[in-house]
Amino acid sequence: MSAVWDYVCGFDEGVGERLKELWHPFAEGKADEQQQQLTAEGGANGVHTGHDFSHSDELLSFESTCRALAHPPEETSVRVDLTKVTVDEALQRVRDYIAAKYKDVAAHADVTVSIHPVLSDVLIMPLVGPRTPTKQDVYAVVDMGCGMAVLRGADVFAPGVVAAHPGMKEGDCVSVYANVSGHFTTGDVAWHDEATVAYLGNGRCVQGRATLFCQRDAKAGLAIEMTDPVFLSPCLSELDTIVQLQNVPSCVAAHLLGVERNPTWRVLDMCAAPGGKTIHIASLMRGNGEIHALERSRKRATQLADKVAEYKNIQVHHADATKCIKKGLFEAESFDAVLLDAPCSGLGQRPRFHHPFSRTDFDRSSVYQQKLADVAIEALKPGGALVYSTCTINPEENEGVVSYILQNHGAAVQLEPQEPYRIGDPGMMYPGLTPTELRHLQRFYPDKHRAIGFFLAKFTKLPKM
């Protein structure tokens, strides 16, 4: 990775150390003879046994992963809404948009658009960067959330601006920095050491400092249009009626359900907000079938309902998925497919300068996921498909939950291979999982797969004996 963007993602106290322990379970002679035998068998069959392989080109270190997490994914991907447009039509619209958006940026020709070789409804664009735009004297400093969005191709909106040059005015060419260390406070005019910020590129000022900080009304609207970013990563927000930004691993989840071949199915999306995967399922079903989307947060459920209102086959429910059968919202064994995209630590999301996830939350993160898995299996018809996914690199929330499912529901479900949608790697070694089972899992490593960190497992519910 280029030294131009030499950042490493940090974790709260204790979390990074625990992740290292989980990624190196066989270090320091801790493995018993059976585990050592599995390691040897797994290594011979292409199964990851951890990431402490400093001499391997394929198995990169935990430190390499942390560095990748601070870098935007090497590919931008968008999912085409097949209920509104064909893939070829969307492809041309996206190409035209990028050519117009970056016509004044020298590197714009490098932003090519193509159809994903495995996921036929997904378009991919390589990340261009890190580039080295000329830094300007006039600057703006944005919060971490805004900075991460800019790295994925967004412009700067007013609520994200923390500080600005005292003379910043509308029309200025402005250098934009992320407040990585937190040294800048709201309205700051004094410049701090550049080592405390991350340079994001240049843009055109739409709202000057006086408008942003000296008026009583709350900050709102576009503040800086990014015209020359460090990373060219189109966000395509103006095309969001036909394509949606969605990471490639997230797109795999809906395909694994098999709804494209079974468009009349009744589907349960247990933890649906913000709705990207829900809409993807509806797109693959071409508006047919029946999709029930659950969200336990009232606010997020309302936002989800607004987002999916035009899709007549989606019903949104404000409900805790762990109680959806117990409280009578649904009957047991009433769904043909269940997507459990579980709430998780999010430790695979990128770019991140820091993952603010406490050790306490980390240690108990898989408990709720196990409860959700219990209900998912109960809700599924015999012969139905369950897909479990997370956007974390934490083995306890990934392979650990699969191990829990097989130990507690092994007579009811069968772990399935993920072909033809296998793009990532097999699972990591984990107690209770055989090499064959690990090969049925799918992991995406940020330092290897040009994407976020992600995990997928697919199960079929077996007929009752």
Side-chain angles (χ1 to χ4, degrees):
M1 192 167 295
S2 171
V4 174
W5 190 258
D6 194 21
Y7 297 96
V8 178
C9 178
F11 301 93
D12 278 5
E13 185 175 357
V15 173
E17 290 77 6
R18 179 57 180 150
L19 273 173
K20 279 187 178 182
E21 292 174 6
L22 291 167
W23 278 42
H24 308 301
F26 303 98
E28 301 175 4
K30 294 179 182 178
D32 58 24
E33 292 181 4
Q34 182 181 9
Q35 288 174 320
Q36 291 175 357
Q37 181 179 356
L38 285 175
T39 300
E41 182 184 348
N45 288 279
V47 176
H48 282 234
T49 54
H51 264 225
D52 194 14
F53 289 80
S54 58
H55 299 294
S56 169
D57 291 333
E58 293 187 347
L59 302 180
L60 305 179
S61 69
F62 177 73
E63 289 71 21
S64 174
T65 294
C66 292
R67 193 171 299 280
L69 288 172
H71 190 288
E74 288 75 11
E75 284 183 345
T76 296
S77 54
V78 294
R79 170 186 49 76
V80 178
D81 191 333
L82 300 174
T83 67
K84 299 177 180 178
V85 68
T86 67
V87 174
D88 287 340
E89 289 169 342
L91 178 63
Q92 190 58 52
R93 293 272 298 275
V94 171
R95 284 174 172 168
D96 291 345
Y97 176 86
I98 289 174
K101 173 78 172 177
Y102 296 114
K103 65 180 185 299
D104 296 325
V105 179
H108 85 275
D110 296 328
V111 186
T112 57
V113 189
S114 59
I115 300 172
H116 193 278
V118 175
L119 307 174
S120 60
D121 61 339
V122 175
L123 307 180
I124 52 175
M125 293 149 277
L127 181 75
V128 178
R131 304 168 57 253
T132 54
T134 302
K135 294 180 182 179
Q136 306 296 304
D137 293 333
V138 180
Y139 63 85
V141 180
V142 301
D143 63 34
M144 293 254 280
C146 180
M148 292 182 289
V150 169
L151 290 173
R152 295 298 303 262
D155 291 317
V156 175
F157 288 83
V161 181
V162 175
H165 186 279
M168 188 180 81
K169 62 184 183 300
E170 183 179 340
D172 282 347
C173 183
V174 178
S175 285
V176 179
Y177 299 84
N179 192 22
V180 175
S181 67
H183 279 60
F184 285 87
T185 57
T186 302
D188 257 357
V189 292
W191 177 254
H192 298 278
D193 188 343
E194 192 162 334
T196 66
V197 294
Y199 176 52
L200 306 175
N202 300 334
R204 180 182 63 86
C205 178
V206 177
Q207 295 188 54
R209 178 183 174 85
T211 303
L212 291 171
F213 296 108
C214 301
Q215 294 187 1
R216 291 186 178 182
D217 296 338
K219 296 187 294 183
L222 180 65
I224 300 169
E225 179 187 8
M226 295 300 298
T227 56
D228 199 10
V230 170
F231 292 97
L232 285 182
S233 178
C235 71
L236 307 177
S237 58
E238 295 178 28
L239 298 179
D240 61 5
T241 57
I242 62 168
V243 295
Q244 289 284 333
L245 279 172
Q246 193 162 334
N247 293 294
V248 164
S250 299
C251 295
V252 173
H255 280 281
L256 280 176
L257 281 175
V259 294
E260 193 168 11
R261 300 184 302 277
N262 301 279
T264 60
W265 271 3
R266 188 171 190 249
V267 180
L268 176 62
D269 187 350
M270 295 185 70
C271 307
K277 296 180 186 67
T278 313
I279 294 175
H280 191 192
I281 295 169
S283 171
L284 291 174
M285 297 173 78
R286 303 300 201 280
N288 299 306
E290 186 180 323
I291 303 167
H292 292 268
L294 304 186
E295 175 52 49
R296 63 174 175 169
S297 160
R298 183 178 298 276
K299 179 180 179 181
R300 283 163 60 87
T302 300
Q303 293 170 338
L304 175 62
D306 291 341
K307 185 173 184 176
V308 305
E310 64 182 292
Y311 299 90
K312 303 308 178 185
N313 62 336
I314 299 177
Q315 299 179 45
V316 176
H317 307 268
H318 171 225
D320 184 341
T322 62
K323 302 173 182 177
C324 67
I325 295 177
K326 182 179 180 180
K327 290 196 171 183
L329 180 60
F330 304 120
E331 293 182 0
E333 298 191 339
S334 61
F335 288 94
D336 300 290
V338 176
L339 174 61
L340 175 48
D341 185 48
C344 67
S345 59
L347 298 179
Q349 291 288 359
R350 57 189 293 214
R352 289 289 189 274
F353 298 111
H354 182 83
H355 269 292
F357 199 75
S358 72
R359 175 61 190 266
T360 300
D361 289 338
F362 181 87
D363 287 341
R364 65 188 183 196
S365 56
S366 63
V367 175
Y368 187 61
Q369 294 158 349
Q370 292 171 2
K371 292 179 180 178
L372 287 166
D374 293 337
V375 177
I377 293 166
E378 186 179 3
L380 197 59
K381 294 178 182 178
L386 164 63
V387 171
Y388 174 80
S389 63
T390 74
C391 58
T392 184
I393 59 175
N394 177 14
E396 290 187 333
E397 300 176 76
N398 296 333
E399 291 86 356
V401 173
V402 172
S403 179
Y404 168 85
I405 290 172
L406 294 178
Q407 288 177 17
N408 290 273
H409 302 282
V413 297
Q414 175 176 294
L415 189 61
E416 299 286 355
Q418 297 187 33
E419 283 71 22
Y421 301 112
R422 175 167 297 283
I423 304 170
D425 279 8
M428 265 189 186
M429 287 296 294
Y430 196 90
L433 297 180
T434 69
T436 298
E437 290 165 342
L438 293 173
R439 286 194 294 275
H440 287 342
L441 306 179
Q442 188 164 192
R443 250 187 183 268
F444 289 81
Y445 293 101
D447 49 354
K448 182 176 179 182
H449 292 111
R450 303 171 65 84
I452 62 172
F454 207 83
F455 177 85
L456 294 142
K458 180 179 180 178
F459 302 85
T460 297
K461 189 165 185 178
L462 300 172
K464 293 182 177 179
M465 301 300 292

